[in-house]
């Protein structure tokens, strides 16, 4: 009897046995490598200095603009200086949207004493928007809080300027979510208003609670079914004042003038630098950011930081004498902001050449303190590489989140199924300067920038060593 009980107990034990997952990496050896890489990156002036040169000698670099060509020359030089084995340019036709000078706007209303009041607005035409012509538009303003109200009041929108009160929601824990929600009015608000006959649209800048009045531009996407009406973003202080007058029931007229227009497409380039793999030279790991930036700023956080962090991966590996097994490709993509032609072209050529892409990583969320990586990757594989997280924690990355990537590497994921990830830094300050004139070199902190570059290099090292 005792023997049977013992056998049963043994059986239960055997059946309930779950082997502890074999560690799929060498914690001790890898943590030593992490430490050495950190010593190199955190003491190197390279990435920060390279960013300074990009911001201060190239500056704005929208697709097709003179800055685009200057930035391409900067990128080639920076990749060569980092020690890339091979630097080359991948040509792509890019749109050339031109602001056409300074955008102008003001509004007027009659105050309680019967006096006419005129107030100037700080505005920026939205990227890809049409201009008004040199005379501008002077129209009645109608305040619309959201798309639901737009539909309810569609009869009132003929020949007016729609003012969208697209507040950036501070309750969301992810600022990216607030950006997506508020940004919907920038992307599709103009066409949705045009559907009901509006003459133009002004939105609140898609930004959090910046203590300034800088307008934030960014791309709109016209629905070709409706007239392409002019559209601009207002600085938040100006927007608040205008909206307060409208909420108070005042009859307000808004003047808006923009000379924005498209020029013929131009030939731009993805600038690519490679560190040839020692074991699998024909298998690629891509790391990148986008080289273009909006016209009013230096494009420091968006996305100069992503560019120099990516270049830093090659520089640091070379400096340490690390020889990657796969070919590491740094790609500085063309035209992310108003077309994504660079990202599309990169994926298109990869597919046409039947290239093998192991993984792609993008940094395009600002050069702030890194917090996590977001992966678009098979669930079981993500689960496996999550065992690496304790290695990253001392350097600031505490999570490998499910979902993420980058606009420029999205096409690679969609057309080749390449696993992708994006660096997710702390986003609290990003939308204070995103697409605005205050996105300048001085807004970037060297250590935060370097920590981002370091974590990117660490992730590339682990994937290069162990695969996915
Ligand atoms: Zn960007």
């Amino acid at each position: 009897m005792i023997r049977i009980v013992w056998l049963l107990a043994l059986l239960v034990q055997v059946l309930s046995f779950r082997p502890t997952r074999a560690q799929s990496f060498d914690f001790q050896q890898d943590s030593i490598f992490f430490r050495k890489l950190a010593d190199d990156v955190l003491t190197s002036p390279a990435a920060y200095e390279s960013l300074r040169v990009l911001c201060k000698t190239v500056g704005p670099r929208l697709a097709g603009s003179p800055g685009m060509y200057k930035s391409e020359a900067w990128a080639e030089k920076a990749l060569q200086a980092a020690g890339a084995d091979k630097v080359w340019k991948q040509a792509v036709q890019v749109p050339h949207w031109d602001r056409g000078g300074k955008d102008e706007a003001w509004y007027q209303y009659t105050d309680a004493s019967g006096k006419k009041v005129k107030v100037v607005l700080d505005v920026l035409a939205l990227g890809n928007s049409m201009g008004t012509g040199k005379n501008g538009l002077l129209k009645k303003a109608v305040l619309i809080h959201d798309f639901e109200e737009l539909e309810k009041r569609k009869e009132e929108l003929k020949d007016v300027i729609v003012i969208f009160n697209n507040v950036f929601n501070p309750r969301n824990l992810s600022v990216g979510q607030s950006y997506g929600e508020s940004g919907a009015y920038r992307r599709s608000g103009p066409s949705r208003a045009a559907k009901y006959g509006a003459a133009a649209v002004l939105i609140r800048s898609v930004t959090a609670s910046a203590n300034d009045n800088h307008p934030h531009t960014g791309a709109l996407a016209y629905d070709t079914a409706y007239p392409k009406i002019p559209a601009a973003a207002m600085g938040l202080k100006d927007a608040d004042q205008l909206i307060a007058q409208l909420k108070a029931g005042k009859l307000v007229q808004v003047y808006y003038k923009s000379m924005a227009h498209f020029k013929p497409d131009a030939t731009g380039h993805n600038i690519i630098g490679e560190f040839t793999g020692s074991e699998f030279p024909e298998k690629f790991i891509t790391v990148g950011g986008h080289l273009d930036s909006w016209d009013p700023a230096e494009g420091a956080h968006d996305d100069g930081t992503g560019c120099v962090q990516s270049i830093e991966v090659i520089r640091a590996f070379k400096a340490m004498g690390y020889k990657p097994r796969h070919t590491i490709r740094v790609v500085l993509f063309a035209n992310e902001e108003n077309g994504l032609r660079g990202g599309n072209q990169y994926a298109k050529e990869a597919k046409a050449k039947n290239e093998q892409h192991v993984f792609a990583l993008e940094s395009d969320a600002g050069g702030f303190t890194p917090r996590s990586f977001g992966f678009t990757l098979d669930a079981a594989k993500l689960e496996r590489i999550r065992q690496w997280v304790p290695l990253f924690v001392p350097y600031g990355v505490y999570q490998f989140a499910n979902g993420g990537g980058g606009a420029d590497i999205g096409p690679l994921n969609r057309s080749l199924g390449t696993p992708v990830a994006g660096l997710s830094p702390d986003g609290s300050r990003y939308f204070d300067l995103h697409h605005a004139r205050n996105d300048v070199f001085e807004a970037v902190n060297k250590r935060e920038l370097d920590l981002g570059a370091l974590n990117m290099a660490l992730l590339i090292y682990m994937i290069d060593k162990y695969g996915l």
Side-chain angles (χ1 to χ4, degrees):
M1 184 63 185
I2 284 169
R3 200 179 163 80
I4 290 171
V5 169
W6 179 81
L7 273 172
L8 276 172
L10 185 71
L11 190 67
V12 167
Q13 254 189 353
V14 167
L15 286 176
S16 62
F17 175 73
R18 295 273 183 286
T20 44
R21 212 36 160 338
Q23 197 134 300
S24 58
F25 64 104
D26 185 336
F27 189 93
Q28 207 185 351
Q29 200 190 63
D30 292 331
S31 52
I32 291 167
F33 183 89
F34 273 40
R35 183 63 253 179
K36 279 188 188 156
L37 197 62
D39 286 344
D40 183 87
V41 172
L42 297 177
T43 57
S44 168
Y48 198 56
E49 172 58 13
S50 186
L51 181 68
R52 187 193 64 77
V53 174
L54 174 65
C55 291
K56 299 303 178 191
T57 69
V58 176
R61 44 195 183 274
L62 194 62
S65 71
M68 177 186 78
Y69 301 100
K70 281 167 81 177
S71 70
E72 290 180 354
W74 166 88
E76 284 185 281
K77 252 178 140 170
L79 282 161
Q80 277 152 3
D85 298 328
K86 184 175 148 193
V87 179
W88 50 286
K89 297 167 80 174
Q90 183 174 54
V92 56
Q93 290 301 107
V94 294
H96 184 185
W97 179 82
D98 189 330
R99 186 172 301 282
K102 190 172 159 38
D103 309 305
E104 291 172 42
W106 45 263
Y107 62 97
Q108 63 185 17
Y109 61 95
T110 307
D111 73 6
S113 65
K115 210 178 89 197
K116 269 209 166 169
V117 181
K118 184 173 154 180
V119 184
V120 173
L121 290 165
D122 195 350
V123 296
L124 275 177
L126 298 183
N128 294 347
S129 70
M130 296 298 149
T132 58
K134 63 181 183 341
N135 294 329
L137 299 168
L138 181 62
K139 304 282 180 189
K140 182 187 157 192
V142 172
L143 177 65
I144 297 289
H145 290 90
D146 52 34
F147 288 135
E148 207 182 319
E149 188 186 358
L150 181 86
E151 297 300 323
K152 279 190 194 141
R153 298 180 62 193
K154 61 189 178 191
E155 308 296 342
E156 301 166 49
L157 305 182
K158 189 131 194 70
D159 205 33
V160 307
I161 294 184
V162 167
I163 311 295
F164 278 120
N165 190 22
N166 50 308
V167 176
F168 197 95
N169 186 354
R171 293 175 197 85
N172 290 327
L173 295 181
S174 151
V175 286
Q177 189 182 338
S178 300
Y179 177 67
E181 291 166 4
S182 175
Y185 293 83
R186 187 192 81 205
R187 290 186 298 276
S188 58
S191 283
R192 291 190 65 162
K195 182 178 176 184
Y196 301 125
V201 160
L202 295 185
I203 63 164
R204 296 171 69 87
S205 285
V206 184
T207 179
S209 54
N211 193 27
D212 60 48
N213 191 44
H214 302 314
H216 298 235
T217 188
L220 62 68
Y222 285 126
D223 181 337
T224 51
Y226 309 108
K228 295 179 174 180
I229 62 171
M234 301 175 276
L236 284 199
K237 287 186 189 299
D238 286 353
D240 282 342
Q241 286 184 13
L242 167 61
I243 288 165
Q245 298 303 336
L246 290 164
K247 277 186 176 170
K250 295 247 171 58
L251 178 65
V252 179
Q253 286 207 303
V254 168
Y255 174 80
Y256 173 50
K257 182 193 151 195
S258 155
M259 298 302 286
H261 61 284
F262 274 98
K263 292 183 167 171
D265 281 4
T267 305
H269 298 87
N270 293 327
I271 309 298
I272 301 174
E274 290 186 358
F275 188 172
T276 311
S278 56
E279 261 179 74
F280 310 112
E282 300 302 316
K283 290 186 180 180
F284 301 101
I285 294 176
T286 295
V287 53
H290 63 85
L291 190 51
D292 62 320
S293 80
W294 283 106
D295 56 324
E298 293 172 6
H301 280 283
D302 189 15
D303 183 23
T305 51
C307 292
V308 300
Q309 286 171 327
S310 300
I311 296 169
E312 182 69 0
V313 174
I314 285 190
R315 190 209 60 76
F317 283 171
K318 288 268 177 182
M320 289 190 64
Y322 177 71
K323 291 188 175 23
R325 299 162 70 217
H326 306 82
T327 292
I328 310 291
R329 243 194 208 169
V330 174
V331 185
L332 308 183
F333 293 95
N335 182 227
E336 187 272 343
E337 294 290 5
N338 65 329
L340 208 65
R341 303 250 189 108
N344 284 327
Q345 184 70 20
Y346 184 67
K348 194 176 144 191
E349 290 194 22
K351 192 166 188 182
K353 291 175 188 161
N354 207 12
E355 286 176 356
Q356 287 195 63
H357 286 261
V358 174
F359 175 65
L361 173 66
E362 181 155 7
S363 167
D364 183 20
F368 299 99
T369 304
R371 299 279 195 225
S372 66
F373 286 107
F375 291 83
T376 298
L377 173 67
D378 175 80
K381 289 177 178 168
L382 178 58
E383 207 43 53
R384 187 180 73 84
I385 66 169
R386 273 180 173 153
Q387 293 181 56
W388 302 344
V389 171
L391 279 169
F392 286 79
V393 169
Y395 305 96
V397 162
Y398 67 90
Q399 187 187 26
F400 284 6
N402 186 13
D408 298 289
I409 54 176
L412 205 58
N413 174 260
R414 290 189 289 276
S415 69
L416 293 179
T418 307
V420 293
L423 176 69
S424 305
D426 185 302
S428 304
R429 287 176 287 148
Y430 187 44
F431 293 101
D432 293 355
L433 43 77
H434 181 252
H435 298 178
R437 59 177 78 103
N438 52 331
D439 183 11
V440 294
F441 172 70
E442 290 78 2
V444 179
N445 173 277
K446 181 185 187 298
R447 188 173 178 81
E448 292 180 0
L449 174 80
D450 288 343
L451 282 169
L454 170 62
N455 279 280
M456 289 164 69
L458 298 175
L459 181 64
I460 301 272
Y461 160 80
M462 291 298 281
I463 290 172
D464 179 58
K465 186 172 173 186
Y466 298 109
L468 282 170

